[in-house]
Amino acid sequence: MLPENDLLFLVVWTLTVCALALVFGLLHLIACISAMVKGYRPWQTVMLIGCLITLAAVPACILGWSGNLDAILMAAGGGTVCGAAFYNGRRAMKEAGDKRLFHLSHHISRLAFVLVLVMNFIRV
């Protein structure tokens, strides 16, 4: 049995990780739906599926589903979102012919955030 302070820390940490994953999934879902309204492209379906998988990691964590299902869902969904966003950035750069439209640091930051979330899901 954990001491009361350790249990409180675990609960707060779990809720914080879940909230960050929820924000990540919802922000990318909003961006995906916004892009779909402007005009459909196949990468948007991939990003939509990735967002939904990412959002599924939150109840998996809170409900304590078996194994590291929450971390697996976060890795799969976050990786899919990162891949679709990277592809979209490259596509936009090539269509416009302007290399300034592709921000590699943004994609690296997104991937690093996903990796931090996955590691925290493993620890929770």
Side-chain angles (χ1 to χ4, degrees), residues 27-68:
L27 285 176
H28 286 88
L29 183 64
I30 291 167
C32 180
I33 291 171
S34 173
M36 284 181 159
V37 169
K38 293 177 185 175
Y40 175 76
R41 296 192 187 269
W43 66 266
Q44 295 164 339
T45 303
V46 174
M47 182 174 266
L48 180 67
I49 292 168
C51 291
L52 296 175
I53 294 171
T54 299
L55 291 173
V58 175
C61 180
I62 291 175
L63 298 175
W65 292 348
S66 63
N68 281 331

Side-chain angles (χ1 to χ4, degrees), residues 8-124:
L8 179 63
F9 176 75
L10 183 62
V11 169
V12 170
W13 187 16
T14 301
L15 292 177
T16 302
V17 171
C18 289
L20 290 172
L22 187 66
V23 167
F24 178 86
L26 288 176
L27 285 176
H28 286 88
L29 183 64
I30 291 167
C32 180
I33 291 171
S34 173
M36 284 181 159
V37 169
K38 293 177 185 175
Y40 175 76
R41 296 192 187 269
W43 66 266
Q44 295 164 339
T45 303
V46 174
M47 182 174 266
L48 180 67
I49 292 168
C51 291
L52 296 175
I53 294 171
T54 299
L55 291 173
V58 175
C61 180
I62 291 175
L63 298 175
W65 292 348
S66 63
N68 281 331
L69 182 61
D70 51 357
I72 294 168
L73 289 171
M74 187 66 219
T80 303
V81 167
C82 288
F86 185 82
Y87 174 78
N88 179 49
R90 296 284 298 201
R91 180 201 52 80
M93 176 188 72
K94 287 179 182 177
E95 281 183 5
D98 187 359
K99 290 186 177 187
R100 293 177 296 172
L101 291 176
F102 183 73
H103 305 285
L104 183 61
S105 61
H106 179 76
H107 298 288
I108 291 171
S109 299
R110 178 187 291 116
L111 182 60
F113 188 70
V114 168
L115 291 174
V116 167
L117 284 173
V118 169
M119 292 301 140
N120 277 289
F121 273 127
I122 289 171
R123 298 280 301 167
V124 169

